[in-house]
């Protein structure tokens, strides 16, 4: 499983992300964060784009060269993450499970803060790091 | 019978001409590519995310020196550098940097091969990897590359490479993913065969 996660890291390559810390009125808010995910001696960086409203957070993690690695939704009221799309090369049930559980812990932290957010999955020694880049409204590219 | 053969010939003749025309276009592009010693340019990369109905715009610079030196650097809104020097790849972000030996990673090796062949246009004759068709559109040749291999199909449904007809330079690359997301990279301020400081490709 760890090897699968390592492969996930290698395949993702890199980008940077913004995260949505708060909504702008009732309009969905789009934010971006720089992402760094480390496991053992390997690590990758990327971009996470989040679109959030009062019920749901939609997220996408992309790599530097424009390849989408992962998209997900977080239901705020039910506190549940669904993986919507994932790179086929890393589409394994155990990777999905780890990502669902980790994102369920990370995303609430991110949307309630406009600072750097970190989370460590102690079992698999996965370290997540999100740094806000900018705050965008959904119609402002 | 003669009438049938003549009709068949007339019907197939345009296809024959088109096939030759595509071959000659590819040959032209490859000739220029093989004569290219270096390329330096700026780029704008726009990533369209279908799920979020949103896009992410990044800016950067690219440097290439034949045969196997490449620097792809993002400068805004974040900094990130990818350097290929022979068989080593440097990935450098604000948080960390890693050096990968492409010979130890089949996937990296493939990505690097694809990047390098796209820069000089040699991807057009890679008939084991892509099914290529070329069309003339205005002052461009537009090559559509459909992946043939399963691993490539998983990442991209198609690639579209735009060449400037007057100098055979790559000016735009479109990468479409099976999910509906796509990325457009537009190159500008392209300088060919200028001297490039070798320090730009340093891994150390």
């Amino acid at each position: 499983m760890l090897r699968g996660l390592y492969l996930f890291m290698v395949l993702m390559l890199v980008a940077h992300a913004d995260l949505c810390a708060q909504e702008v009125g009732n309009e969905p808010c789009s934010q971006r964060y720089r992402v760094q995910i480390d496991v053992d001696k390997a690590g990758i960086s990327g971009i996470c784009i989040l679109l959030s409203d009062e019920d749901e957070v939609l997220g996408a993690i992309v790599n530097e060269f424009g390849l989408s690695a992962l998209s997900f939704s977080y239901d705020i009221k039910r506190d549940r993450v669904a993986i919507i799309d994932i790179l086929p090369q890393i589409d394994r049930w155990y990777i999905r499970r780890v990502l669902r559980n980790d994102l369920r812990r990370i995303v609430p932290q991110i949307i309630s803060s406009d600072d750097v957010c970190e989370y460590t999955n102690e079992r698999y020694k996965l370290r997540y790091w999100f740094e806000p880049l900018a705050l965008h409204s959904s119609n402002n590219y | 019978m003669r009438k049938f053969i003549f009709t068949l010939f007339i019907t197939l003749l345009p296809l024959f001409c088109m096939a030759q025309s595509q071959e000659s276009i590819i040959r032209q592009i490859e000739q220029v590519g093989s004569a290219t010693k270096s390329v330096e340019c700026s780029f704008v990369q726009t990533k369209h995310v279908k799920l979020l109905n949103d896009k992410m715009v990044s800016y950067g610079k690219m440097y290439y020196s034949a045969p196997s030196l490449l620097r792809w650097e993002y400068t805004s809104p974040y900094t990130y550098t990818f350097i290929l020097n022979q068989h080593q790849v440097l990935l450098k972000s604000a948080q960390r940097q890693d050096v990968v030996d492409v010979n130890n990673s089949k996937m990296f090796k493939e990505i690097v091969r694809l990047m390098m062949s796209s820069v000089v246009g040699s991807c057009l004759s890679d008939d084991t990897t892509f099914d290529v068709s070329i069309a003339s559109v205005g002052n461009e040749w537009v090559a559509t590359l459909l992946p043939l291999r399963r691993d490539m199909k998983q990442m991209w449904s198609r690639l579209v490479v735009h060449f400037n007809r007057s100098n055979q330079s790559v000016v735009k690359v479109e990468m479409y993913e099976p999910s509906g997301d796509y990325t457009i990279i537009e190159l500008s301020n392209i300088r060919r065969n200028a001297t490039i400081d070798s320090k730009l490709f340093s891994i150390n």
Side-chain angles (χ1 to χ4, degrees), chain B residues 60-78:
Chain B
K61 290 210 74 172
M62 186 205 77
Y63 304 86
Y64 163 78
S65 181
S68 54
L69 299 176
L70 178 69
R71 181 184 178 105
W72 189 272
E73 183 178 4
Y74 293 88
T75 55
S76 173
Y78 48 81

mmCIF file with all atom_site columns, all heavy atoms in Angstrom, chain B residues 60-78:
data_model
loop_
_atom_site.group_PDB
_atom_site.id
_atom_site.type_symbol
_atom_site.label_atom_id
_atom_site.label_alt_id
_atom_site.label_comp_id
_atom_site.label_asym_id
_atom_site.label_entity_id
_atom_site.label_seq_id
_atom_site.pdbx_PDB_ins_code
_atom_site.Cartn_x
_atom_site.Cartn_y
_atom_site.Cartn_z
_atom_site.occupancy
_atom_site.B_iso_or_equiv
_atom_site.pdbx_formal_charge
_atom_site.auth_seq_id
_atom_site.auth_comp_id
_atom_site.auth_asym_id
_atom_site.auth_atom_id
_atom_site.pdbx_PDB_model_num
ATOM 1   N N   . GLY B 1 60 ? 5.551  31.220 -17.259 1.00 0.00 ? 60 GLY B N   1
ATOM 2   C CA  . GLY B 1 60 ? 6.908  30.719 -17.054 1.00 0.00 ? 60 GLY B CA  1
ATOM 3   C C   . GLY B 1 60 ? 7.782  30.869 -18.278 1.00 0.00 ? 60 GLY B C   1
ATOM 4   O O   . GLY B 1 60 ? 7.423  31.528 -19.261 1.00 0.00 ? 60 GLY B O   1
ATOM 5   N N   . LYS B 1 61 ? 8.941  30.226 -18.189 1.00 0.00 ? 61 LYS B N   1
ATOM 6   C CA  . LYS B 1 61 ? 9.910  30.269 -19.276 1.00 0.00 ? 61 LYS B CA  1
ATOM 7   C C   . LYS B 1 61 ? 10.437 28.866 -19.551 1.00 0.00 ? 61 LYS B C   1
ATOM 8   O O   . LYS B 1 61 ? 10.553 28.045 -18.627 1.00 0.00 ? 61 LYS B O   1
ATOM 9   C CB  . LYS B 1 61 ? 11.088 31.180 -18.921 1.00 0.00 ? 61 LYS B CB  1
ATOM 10  C CG  . LYS B 1 61 ? 10.744 32.649 -18.866 1.00 0.00 ? 61 LYS B CG  1
ATOM 11  C CD  . LYS B 1 61 ? 11.938 33.524 -19.246 1.00 0.00 ? 61 LYS B CD  1
ATOM 12  C CE  . LYS B 1 61 ? 12.206 33.486 -20.745 1.00 0.00 ? 61 LYS B CE  1
ATOM 13  N NZ  . LYS B 1 61 ? 13.215 34.458 -21.185 1.00 0.00 ? 61 LYS B NZ  1
ATOM 14  N N   . MET B 1 62 ? 10.759 28.620 -20.805 1.00 0.00 ? 62 MET B N   1
ATOM 15  C CA  . MET B 1 62 ? 11.322 27.340 -21.191 1.00 0.00 ? 62 MET B CA  1
ATOM 16  C C   . MET B 1 62 ? 12.651 27.560 -21.894 1.00 0.00 ? 62 MET B C   1
ATOM 17  O O   . MET B 1 62 ? 12.802 28.494 -22.685 1.00 0.00 ? 62 MET B O   1
ATOM 18  C CB  . MET B 1 62 ? 10.385 26.593 -22.144 1.00 0.00 ? 62 MET B CB  1
ATOM 19  C CG  . MET B 1 62 ? 10.876 25.179 -22.445 1.00 0.00 ? 62 MET B CG  1
ATOM 20  S SD  . MET B 1 62 ? 10.303 24.504 -24.008 1.00 0.00 ? 62 MET B SD  1
ATOM 21  C CE  . MET B 1 62 ? 11.367 25.335 -25.162 1.00 0.00 ? 62 MET B CE  1
ATOM 22  N N   . TYR B 1 63 ? 13.607 26.690 -21.584 1.00 0.00 ? 63 TYR B N   1
ATOM 23  C CA  . TYR B 1 63 ? 14.889 26.683 -22.267 1.00 0.00 ? 63 TYR B CA  1
ATOM 24  C C   . TYR B 1 63 ? 15.176 25.250 -22.704 1.00 0.00 ? 63 TYR B C   1
ATOM 25  O O   . TYR B 1 63 ? 14.992 24.318 -21.933 1.00 0.00 ? 63 TYR B O   1
ATOM 26  C CB  . TYR B 1 63 ? 16.028 27.149 -21.336 1.00 0.00 ? 63 TYR B CB  1
ATOM 27  C CG  . TYR B 1 63 ? 15.822 28.512 -20.723 1.00 0.00 ? 63 TYR B CG  1
ATOM 28  C CD1 . TYR B 1 63 ? 15.102 28.662 -19.536 1.00 0.00 ? 63 TYR B CD1 1
ATOM 29  C CD2 . TYR B 1 63 ? 16.357 29.656 -21.324 1.00 0.00 ? 63 TYR B CD2 1
ATOM 30  C CE1 . TYR B 1 63 ? 14.919 29.912 -18.965 1.00 0.00 ? 63 TYR B CE1 1
ATOM 31  C CE2 . TYR B 1 63 ? 16.184 30.914 -20.758 1.00 0.00 ? 63 TYR B CE2 1
ATOM 32  C CZ  . TYR B 1 63 ? 15.455 31.021 -19.587 1.00 0.00 ? 63 TYR B CZ  1
ATOM 33  O OH  . TYR B 1 63 ? 15.276 32.262 -19.024 1.00 0.00 ? 63 TYR B OH  1
ATOM 34  N N   . TYR B 1 64 ? 15.618 25.129 -23.938 1.00 0.00 ? 64 TYR B N   1
ATOM 35  C CA  . TYR B 1 64 ? 15.975 23.808 -24.459 1.00 0.00 ? 64 TYR B CA  1
ATOM 36  C C   . TYR B 1 64 ? 17.314 23.905 -25.166 1.00 0.00 ? 64 TYR B C   1
ATOM 37  O O   . TYR B 1 64 ? 17.574 24.846 -25.914 1.00 0.00 ? 64 TYR B O   1
ATOM 38  C CB  . TYR B 1 64 ? 14.908 23.315 -25.445 1.00 0.00 ? 64 TYR B CB  1
ATOM 39  C CG  . TYR B 1 64 ? 15.365 22.172 -26.325 1.00 0.00 ? 64 TYR B CG  1
ATOM 40  C CD1 . TYR B 1 64 ? 15.434 20.868 -25.839 1.00 0.00 ? 64 TYR B CD1 1
ATOM 41  C CD2 . TYR B 1 64 ? 15.731 22.387 -27.652 1.00 0.00 ? 64 TYR B CD2 1
ATOM 42  C CE1 . TYR B 1 64 ? 15.857 19.827 -26.636 1.00 0.00 ? 64 TYR B CE1 1
ATOM 43  C CE2 . TYR B 1 64 ? 16.161 21.352 -28.461 1.00 0.00 ? 64 TYR B CE2 1
ATOM 44  C CZ  . TYR B 1 64 ? 16.215 20.073 -27.953 1.00 0.00 ? 64 TYR B CZ  1
ATOM 45  O OH  . TYR B 1 64 ? 16.635 19.038 -28.753 1.00 0.00 ? 64 TYR B OH  1
ATOM 46  N N   . SER B 1 65 ? 18.165 22.898 -24.912 1.00 0.00 ? 65 SER B N   1
ATOM 47  C CA  . SER B 1 65 ? 19.433 22.821 -25.621 1.00 0.00 ? 65 SER B CA  1
ATOM 48  C C   . SER B 1 65 ? 19.619 21.374 -26.063 1.00 0.00 ? 65 SER B C   1
ATOM 49  O O   . SER B 1 65 ? 19.570 20.457 -25.238 1.00 0.00 ? 65 SER B O   1
ATOM 50  C CB  . SER B 1 65 ? 20.581 23.280 -24.713 1.00 0.00 ? 65 SER B CB  1
ATOM 51  O OG  . SER B 1 65 ? 21.817 23.229 -25.408 1.00 0.00 ? 65 SER B OG  1
ATOM 52  N N   . ALA B 1 66 ? 19.762 21.197 -27.357 1.00 0.00 ? 66 ALA B N   1
ATOM 53  C CA  . ALA B 1 66 ? 19.883 19.844 -27.917 1.00 0.00 ? 66 ALA B CA  1
ATOM 54  C C   . ALA B 1 66 ? 21.148 19.168 -27.396 1.00 0.00 ? 66 ALA B C   1
ATOM 55  O O   . ALA B 1 66 ? 22.169 19.824 -27.190 1.00 0.00 ? 66 ALA B O   1
ATOM 56  C CB  . ALA B 1 66 ? 19.908 19.928 -29.447 1.00 0.00 ? 66 ALA B CB  1
ATOM 57  N N   . PRO B 1 67 ? 21.126 17.850 -27.205 1.00 0.00 ? 67 PRO B N   1
ATOM 58  C CA  . PRO B 1 67 ? 19.971 16.999 -27.460 1.00 0.00 ? 67 PRO B CA  1
ATOM 59  C C   . PRO B 1 67 ? 19.098 16.712 -26.243 1.00 0.00 ? 67 PRO B C   1
ATOM 60  O O   . PRO B 1 67 ? 17.981 16.242 -26.396 1.00 0.00 ? 67 PRO B O   1
ATOM 61  C CB  . PRO B 1 67 ? 20.627 15.703 -27.935 1.00 0.00 ? 67 PRO B CB  1
ATOM 62  C CG  . PRO B 1 67 ? 21.898 15.629 -27.138 1.00 0.00 ? 67 PRO B CG  1
ATOM 63  C CD  . PRO B 1 67 ? 22.354 17.057 -26.949 1.00 0.00 ? 67 PRO B CD  1
ATOM 64  N N   . SER B 1 68 ? 19.614 16.985 -25.034 1.00 0.00 ? 68 SER B N   1
ATOM 65  C CA  . SER B 1 68 ? 18.860 16.494 -23.868 1.00 0.00 ? 68 SER B CA  1
ATOM 66  C C   . SER B 1 68 ? 18.954 17.417 -22.658 1.00 0.00 ? 68 SER B C   1
ATOM 67  O O   . SER B 1 68 ? 19.124 16.962 -21.529 1.00 0.00 ? 68 SER B O   1
ATOM 68  C CB  . SER B 1 68 ? 19.331 15.081 -23.484 1.00 0.00 ? 68 SER B CB  1
ATOM 69  O OG  . SER B 1 68 ? 20.739 15.078 -23.286 1.00 0.00 ? 68 SER B OG  1
ATOM 70  N N   . LEU B 1 69 ? 18.850 18.708 -22.900 1.00 0.00 ? 69 LEU B N   1
ATOM 71  C CA  . LEU B 1 69 ? 18.816 19.665 -21.800 1.00 0.00 ? 69 LEU B CA  1
ATOM 72  C C   . LEU B 1 69 ? 17.520 20.467 -21.894 1.00 0.00 ? 69 LEU B C   1
ATOM 73  O O   . LEU B 1 69 ? 17.216 21.031 -22.943 1.00 0.00 ? 69 LEU B O   1
ATOM 74  C CB  . LEU B 1 69 ? 20.005 20.631 -21.862 1.00 0.00 ? 69 LEU B CB  1
ATOM 75  C CG  . LEU B 1 69 ? 21.401 20.017 -21.776 1.00 0.00 ? 69 LEU B CG  1
ATOM 76  C CD1 . LEU B 1 69 ? 22.463 21.103 -21.957 1.00 0.00 ? 69 LEU B CD1 1
ATOM 77  C CD2 . LEU B 1 69 ? 21.606 19.293 -20.451 1.00 0.00 ? 69 LEU B CD2 1
ATOM 78  N N   . LEU B 1 70 ? 16.761 20.481 -20.798 1.00 0.00 ? 70 LEU B N   1
ATOM 79  C CA  . LEU B 1 70 ? 15.482 21.191 -20.812 1.00 0.00 ? 70 LEU B CA  1
ATOM 80  C C   . LEU B 1 70 ? 15.250 21.829 -19.456 1.00 0.00 ? 70 LEU B C   1
ATOM 81  O O   . LEU B 1 70 ? 15.453 21.201 -18.422 1.00 0.00 ? 70 LEU B O   1
ATOM 82  C CB  . LEU B 1 70 ? 14.337 20.228 -21.127 1.00 0.00 ? 70 LEU B CB  1
ATOM 83  C CG  . LEU B 1 70 ? 12.917 20.816 -21.137 1.00 0.00 ? 70 LEU B CG  1
ATOM 84  C CD1 . LEU B 1 70 ? 12.733 21.750 -22.325 1.00 0.00 ? 70 LEU B CD1 1
ATOM 85  C CD2 . LEU B 1 70 ? 11.874 19.695 -21.164 1.00 0.00 ? 70 LEU B CD2 1
ATOM 86  N N   . ARG B 1 71 ? 14.855 23.075 -19.477 1.00 0.00 ? 71 ARG B N   1
ATOM 87  C CA  . ARG B 1 71 ? 14.469 23.772 -18.243 1.00 0.00 ? 71 ARG B CA  1
ATOM 88  C C   . ARG B 1 71 ? 13.083 24.339 -18.450 1.00 0.00 ? 71 ARG B C   1
ATOM 89  O O   . ARG B 1 71 ? 12.858 25.127 -19.368 1.00 0.00 ? 71 ARG B O   1
ATOM 90  C CB  . ARG B 1 71 ? 15.453 24.893 -17.922 1.00 0.00 ? 71 ARG B CB  1
ATOM 91  C CG  . ARG B 1 71 ? 15.105 25.640 -16.614 1.00 0.00 ? 71 ARG B CG  1
ATOM 92  C CD  . ARG B 1 71 ? 16.049 26.806 -16.390 1.00 0.00 ? 71 ARG B CD  1
ATOM 93  N NE  . ARG B 1 71 ? 15.714 27.552 -15.185 1.00 0.00 ? 71 ARG B NE  1
ATOM 94  C CZ  . ARG B 1 71 ? 16.408 27.470 -14.046 1.00 0.00 ? 71 ARG B CZ  1
ATOM 95  N NH1 . ARG B 1 71 ? 17.482 26.703 -13.967 1.00 0.00 ? 71 ARG B NH1 1
ATOM 96  N NH2 . ARG B 1 71 ? 16.046 28.172 -12.988 1.00 0.00 ? 71 ARG B NH2 1
ATOM 97  N N   . TRP B 1 72 ? 12.146 23.915 -17.605 1.00 0.00 ? 72 TRP B N   1
ATOM 98  C CA  . TRP B 1 72 ? 10.755 24.372 -17.672 1.00 0.00 ? 72 TRP B CA  1
ATOM 99  C C   . TRP B 1 72 ? 10.483 25.009 -16.327 1.00 0.00 ? 72 TRP B C   1
ATOM 100 O O   . TRP B 1 72 ? 10.412 24.328 -15.318 1.00 0.00 ? 72 TRP B O   1
ATOM 101 C CB  . TRP B 1 72 ? 9.839  23.180 -17.936 1.00 0.00 ? 72 TRP B CB  1
ATOM 102 C CG  . TRP B 1 72 ? 8.423  23.522 -18.230 1.00 0.00 ? 72 TRP B CG  1
ATOM 103 C CD1 . TRP B 1 72 ? 7.422  23.696 -17.333 1.00 0.00 ? 72 TRP B CD1 1
ATOM 104 C CD2 . TRP B 1 72 ? 7.831  23.728 -19.521 1.00 0.00 ? 72 TRP B CD2 1
ATOM 105 N NE1 . TRP B 1 72 ? 6.260  23.994 -17.973 1.00 0.00 ? 72 TRP B NE1 1
ATOM 106 C CE2 . TRP B 1 72 ? 6.458  24.018 -19.317 1.00 0.00 ? 72 TRP B CE2 1
ATOM 107 C CE3 . TRP B 1 72 ? 8.316  23.700 -20.827 1.00 0.00 ? 72 TRP B CE3 1
ATOM 108 C CZ2 . TRP B 1 72 ? 5.587  24.274 -20.366 1.00 0.00 ? 72 TRP B CZ2 1
ATOM 109 C CZ3 . TRP B 1 72 ? 7.433  23.936 -21.864 1.00 0.00 ? 72 TRP B CZ3 1
ATOM 110 C CH2 . TRP B 1 72 ? 6.093  24.222 -21.630 1.00 0.00 ? 72 TRP B CH2 1
ATOM 111 N N   . GLU B 1 73 ? 10.299 26.324 -16.341 1.00 0.00 ? 73 GLU B N   1
ATOM 112 C CA  . GLU B 1 73 ? 10.266 27.063 -15.079 1.00 0.00 ? 73 GLU B CA  1
ATOM 113 C C   . GLU B 1 73 ? 8.994  27.896 -14.957 1.00 0.00 ? 73 GLU B C   1
ATOM 114 O O   . GLU B 1 73 ? 8.687  28.699 -15.840 1.00 0.00 ? 73 GLU B O   1
ATOM 115 C CB  . GLU B 1 73 ? 11.490 27.980 -15.015 1.00 0.00 ? 73 GLU B CB  1
ATOM 116 C CG  . GLU B 1 73 ? 11.632 28.762 -13.723 1.00 0.00 ? 73 GLU B CG  1
ATOM 117 C CD  . GLU B 1 73 ? 12.896 29.602 -13.706 1.00 0.00 ? 73 GLU B CD  1
ATOM 118 O OE1 . GLU B 1 73 ? 13.618 29.625 -14.723 1.00 0.00 ? 73 GLU B OE1 1
ATOM 119 O OE2 . GLU B 1 73 ? 13.168 30.239 -12.674 1.00 0.00 ? 73 GLU B OE2 1
ATOM 120 N N   . TYR B 1 74 ? 8.265  27.701 -13.875 1.00 0.00 ? 74 TYR B N   1
ATOM 121 C CA  . TYR B 1 74 ? 7.086  28.509 -13.582 1.00 0.00 ? 74 TYR B CA  1
ATOM 122 C C   . TYR B 1 74 ? 7.508  29.691 -12.705 1.00 0.00 ? 74 TYR B C   1
ATOM 123 O O   . TYR B 1 74 ? 8.215  29.505 -11.717 1.00 0.00 ? 74 TYR B O   1
ATOM 124 C CB  . TYR B 1 74 ? 6.010  27.680 -12.877 1.00 0.00 ? 74 TYR B CB  1
ATOM 125 C CG  . TYR B 1 74 ? 5.415  26.609 -13.759 1.00 0.00 ? 74 TYR B CG  1
ATOM 126 C CD1 . TYR B 1 74 ? 6.000  25.355 -13.829 1.00 0.00 ? 74 TYR B CD1 1
ATOM 127 C CD2 . TYR B 1 74 ? 4.285  26.866 -14.533 1.00 0.00 ? 74 TYR B CD2 1
ATOM 128 C CE1 . TYR B 1 74 ? 5.466  24.376 -14.651 1.00 0.00 ? 74 TYR B CE1 1
ATOM 129 C CE2 . TYR B 1 74 ? 3.749  25.886 -15.358 1.00 0.00 ? 74 TYR B CE2 1
ATOM 130 C CZ  . TYR B 1 74 ? 4.345  24.640 -15.419 1.00 0.00 ? 74 TYR B CZ  1
ATOM 131 O OH  . TYR B 1 74 ? 3.824  23.678 -16.238 1.00 0.00 ? 74 TYR B OH  1
ATOM 132 N N   . THR B 1 75 ? 7.069  30.885 -13.084 1.00 0.00 ? 75 THR B N   1
ATOM 133 C CA  . THR B 1 75 ? 7.476  32.075 -12.345 1.00 0.00 ? 75 THR B CA  1
ATOM 134 C C   . THR B 1 75 ? 6.316  32.763 -11.638 1.00 0.00 ? 75 THR B C   1
ATOM 135 O O   . THR B 1 75 ? 6.517  33.508 -10.691 1.00 0.00 ? 75 THR B O   1
ATOM 136 C CB  . THR B 1 75 ? 8.140  33.088 -13.302 1.00 0.00 ? 75 THR B CB  1
ATOM 137 O OG1 . THR B 1 75 ? 7.232  33.353 -14.390 1.00 0.00 ? 75 THR B OG1 1
ATOM 138 C CG2 . THR B 1 75 ? 9.434  32.523 -13.872 1.00 0.00 ? 75 THR B CG2 1
ATOM 139 N N   . SER B 1 76 ? 5.108  32.526 -12.091 1.00 0.00 ? 76 SER B N   1
ATOM 140 C CA  . SER B 1 76 ? 3.947  33.185 -11.496 1.00 0.00 ? 76 SER B CA  1
ATOM 141 C C   . SER B 1 76 ? 2.704  32.320 -11.727 1.00 0.00 ? 76 SER B C   1
ATOM 142 O O   . SER B 1 76 ? 2.569  31.721 -12.797 1.00 0.00 ? 76 SER B O   1
ATOM 143 C CB  . SER B 1 76 ? 3.764  34.563 -12.152 1.00 0.00 ? 76 SER B CB  1
ATOM 144 O OG  . SER B 1 76 ? 2.567  35.169 -11.730 1.00 0.00 ? 76 SER B OG  1
ATOM 145 N N   . PRO B 1 77 ? 1.790  32.191 -10.791 1.00 0.00 ? 77 PRO B N   1
ATOM 146 C CA  . PRO B 1 77 ? 1.759  32.827 -9.476  1.00 0.00 ? 77 PRO B CA  1
ATOM 147 C C   . PRO B 1 77 ? 2.534  32.066 -8.413  1.00 0.00 ? 77 PRO B C   1
ATOM 148 O O   . PRO B 1 77 ? 2.371  32.311 -7.229  1.00 0.00 ? 77 PRO B O   1
ATOM 149 C CB  . PRO B 1 77 ? 0.264  32.814 -9.145  1.00 0.00 ? 77 PRO B CB  1
ATOM 150 C CG  . PRO B 1 77 ? -0.230 31.569 -9.798  1.00 0.00 ? 77 PRO B CG  1
ATOM 151 C CD  . PRO B 1 77 ? 0.569  31.429 -11.063 1.00 0.00 ? 77 PRO B CD  1
ATOM 152 N N   . TYR B 1 78 ? 3.318  31.137 -8.808  1.00 0.00 ? 78 TYR B N   1
ATOM 153 C CA  . TYR B 1 78 ? 4.142  30.339 -7.900  1.00 0.00 ? 78 TYR B CA  1
ATOM 154 C C   . TYR B 1 78 ? 5.450  30.045 -8.620  1.00 0.00 ? 78 TYR B C   1
ATOM 155 O O   . TYR B 1 78 ? 5.555  30.218 -9.842  1.00 0.00 ? 78 TYR B O   1
ATOM 156 C CB  . TYR B 1 78 ? 3.443  29.030 -7.512  1.00 0.00 ? 78 TYR B CB  1
ATOM 157 C CG  . TYR B 1 78 ? 2.879  28.308 -8.698  1.00 0.00 ? 78 TYR B CG  1
ATOM 158 C CD1 . TYR B 1 78 ? 3.680  27.522 -9.507  1.00 0.00 ? 78 TYR B CD1 1
ATOM 159 C CD2 . TYR B 1 78 ? 1.538  28.461 -9.049  1.00 0.00 ? 78 TYR B CD2 1
ATOM 160 C CE1 . TYR B 1 78 ? 3.178  26.894 -10.632 1.00 0.00 ? 78 TYR B CE1 1
ATOM 161 C CE2 . TYR B 1 78 ? 1.026  27.834 -10.165 1.00 0.00 ? 78 TYR B CE2 1
ATOM 162 C CZ  . TYR B 1 78 ? 1.852  27.057 -10.950 1.00 0.00 ? 78 TYR B CZ  1
ATOM 163 O OH  . TYR B 1 78 ? 1.349  26.446 -12.058 1.00 0.00 ? 78 TYR B OH  1
#
